[in-house]
Amino acid sequence: MTTRRTRPAPRPPEGTPPRAELARQARHVLADAVRIARWAAAPRGAGPAARPGSASVPARERAAEALGLTPGQIRAGWDRARLAGLVELHGDTARPGWRLRAWDRDDSAVLRGWVALFDAWSLVHPAPEGVEASAVAEVVEAVPQVLSLLQLSQGPVPVPSLLDLLGQRVEELREERCEVPGTADLAGPAAPSCAPEGLPALLDWALEGLAAVGALTLDPGPEGRQATLTPLGNWAVWVKLEQICVAAQSPAGNIEQSAEDMLRGCARLTPGPARDEYRAWLAARTLSSAVSELLAVARGEDALLRGLAFEALRVVGAPAEAEVRAALAEPSLRPYALLWLAEYEGADPDDAQEVLTREEATWLWVDTAAAVADHGESDLLVRHLDSAVQGTVPALLDEVRAVGHPRTVQVLVALAAAHPDPALAKAVRRAAFQVHTGGA
């Protein structure tokens, strides 16, 4: 046997406040969101009026009157509460999330809630009107480098200096996407500058969004405005950088891989180490691009990667909600998206299956069986029979044939080959033949 040497727990930079103080600051940033979440989740708030951030003006007015806040503050606080995982929505009813229940006693829950808000800063503060979505996405992708500069500076940095860095980083990102080696002589005149129009306004938007979540402050300085990371922001940037370093040193490090290759690498890991890999991979990317890449893999033909992609999306949490909800419209992703949303809204993973219709549960059974057939052992496929919602094999076969999964024939053939009961295997082979020929 060999003994793996574990990496000692990293220490935050000198001058970082203790976790208890960081948690106190996070509670201060989210104080209004916590008040709104508790009001909305109270029994008297059940029903449509329990969603003060929704389009319901009366709901916002009721909350504003009860809490002594303006309707605008109510809506902003509600958004923060959802992004930080303080509330869970069940139809038109709001319920307290686990972080809200642990808010006063668990510093780790508080800091994780704040980090979820920090990761979603671009959703908190609306982007400037009239700016192309692609330019906004580029700035969001470039912001981590701006934050790294602020952390390295250990003090205020003039906004013009940050603008120079942002322009350089945006240009690098465009070159990485657009450059085609060996075509410079054939491409004609050089392309215009890659710096997007309105970059100063986009930088202001990004800094104000980060200030709104408590990650930095903006103050007047000799060269105009200057930005300084708060202790919370400094700690969060350090955490992200540390995750990247850990992944780079890890034997299972997949930080530089595409989403598909990363998920394939994680398929061999147990759930705990796999989640660590997901976190490190996500830390090296903007969440919006990472979510899109994971969902693109989920749309592929490999059922195993589809399931793993949604496991990685569970690590993302709130910032993935909008795209996961949009995936409900895609039949191949709908069961996974429904389960993700149920767990995100507080359902126990063991009970989440209840949100699926019988047809959706059957489709998911076939998809999971396809993953097992492609990547697992034959005995796992036989045991997978026990997870079907149908009480008998004939009922399962009838519904599997009707559900229309593209891998139905392959799954049934593999199950027939693996099952030790000759009579059952014969019935499964017959069902596979009927699906293949279109018979009843």
Side-chain angles (χ1 to χ4, degrees):
M1 293 179 63
T2 59
T3 302
R4 284 187 61 181
R5 181 176 298 174
T6 58
R7 187 173 183 265
R11 298 177 62 85
E14 186 176 353
T16 301
R19 285 178 67 85
E21 172 58 20
L22 290 171
R24 186 195 67 78
Q25 295 177 18
R27 287 186 175 97
H28 176 73
V29 171
L30 283 161
D32 283 351
V34 170
R35 291 180 63 206
I36 294 166
R38 285 175 172 159
W39 180 87
R44 64 179 179 279
R51 301 180 61 170
S54 67
S56 171
V57 174
R60 289 203 301 274
E61 291 177 347
R62 283 182 57 211
E65 182 179 358
L67 300 174
L69 300 172
T70 68
Q73 289 173 320
I74 292 294
R75 182 151 200 163
W78 176 256
D79 287 343
R80 290 170 177 234
R82 292 190 62 202
L83 292 171
L86 298 173
V87 290
E88 302 161 357
L89 299 184
H90 299 262
D92 287 329
T93 302
R95 297 179 187 171
W98 72 268
R99 283 179 182 147
L100 184 64
R101 293 191 290 268
W103 196 253
D104 293 328
R105 57 179 169 76
D106 189 338
D107 289 346
S108 293
V110 172
L111 290 173
R112 290 188 182 193
W114 182 83
V115 169
L117 181 68
F118 169 72
D119 287 339
W121 68 264
S122 61
L123 305 179
V124 172
H125 194 58
E129 295 183 3
V131 180
E132 290 186 3
S134 58
V136 173
E138 287 170 341
V139 168
V140 172
E141 192 171 354
V143 157
Q145 192 145 338
V146 173
L147 291 170
S148 296
L149 173 62
L150 285 169
Q151 196 212 32
L152 290 171
S153 300
Q154 298 184 344
V157 177
V159 171
S161 299
L162 297 176
L163 181 61
D164 289 342
L165 174 65
L166 182 66
Q168 293 171 17
R169 182 57 182 149
V170 168
E171 185 140 356
E172 289 172 359
L173 291 170
R174 288 192 171 186
E175 288 177 353
E176 289 170 6
R177 283 194 297 268
C178 303
E179 186 176 31
V180 181
T183 61
D185 294 336
L186 304 176
S193 170
C194 287
E197 294 182 5
L199 195 58
L202 285 171
L203 176 60
D204 287 343
W205 162 69
L207 294 177
E208 289 164 4
L210 289 162
V213 300
L216 56 80
T217 58
L218 290 167
D219 304 292
E223 301 179 43
R225 288 200 307 172
Q226 55 188 20
T228 309
L229 285 179
T230 63
L232 269 176
N234 190 67
W235 168 79
V237 175
W238 170 78
V239 168
K240 300 293 182 183
L241 292 173
E242 182 62 26
Q243 287 174 340
I244 294 172
C245 293
V246 169
Q249 295 177 15
S250 167
N254 293 283
I255 190 169
E256 296 181 358
Q257 303 296 325
S258 66
E260 180 174 346
D261 290 340
M262 180 273 294
L263 293 172
R264 290 192 188 282
C266 290
R268 300 185 296 272
L269 302 177
T270 55
R275 283 192 293 272
D276 290 340
E277 289 295 307
Y278 301 151
R279 291 188 186 100
W281 185 84
L282 291 164
R285 290 157 178 80
T286 61
L287 287 177
S288 58
S289 62
V291 170
S292 297
E293 196 173 343
L294 288 169
L295 285 172
V297 174
R299 294 184 181 98
E301 296 181 357
D302 194 321
L304 176 65
L305 297 188
R306 187 160 25 256
L308 292 176
F310 276 86
E311 288 300 317
L313 288 168
R314 285 177 172 83
V315 174
V316 176
E321 181 187 4
E323 290 201 54
V324 172
R325 286 195 185 279
L328 292 173
E330 302 178 49
S332 65
L333 302 187
R334 181 175 174 81
Y336 294 95
L338 285 168
L339 293 176
W340 189 99
L341 290 166
E343 293 177 31
Y344 171 71
E345 292 172 357
D348 188 288
D350 293 335
D351 301 329
Q353 293 274 346
E354 296 175 3
V355 303
L356 301 180
T357 65
R358 194 174 176 99
E359 182 179 0
E360 289 161 350
T362 303
W363 195 100
L364 182 61
W365 185 91
V366 178
D367 207 50
T368 306
V372 175
D374 289 342
H375 301 280
E377 302 293 335
S378 58
D379 59 331
L380 292 178
L381 189 59
V382 173
R383 291 204 297 270
H384 184 55
L385 271 173
D386 296 334
S387 67
V389 295
Q390 293 77 8
T392 65
V393 171
L396 170 65
L397 294 178
D398 286 343
E399 295 184 35
V400 163
R401 283 182 295 183
V403 81
H405 191 289
R407 295 290 305 279
T408 298
V409 172
Q410 294 94 323
V411 163
L412 293 178
V413 168
L415 180 60
H419 206 284
D421 184 335
L424 189 147
K426 181 178 179 180
V428 173
R429 276 194 299 272
R430 185 186 305 115
F433 177 77
Q434 290 171 339
V435 174
H436 179 64
T437 59

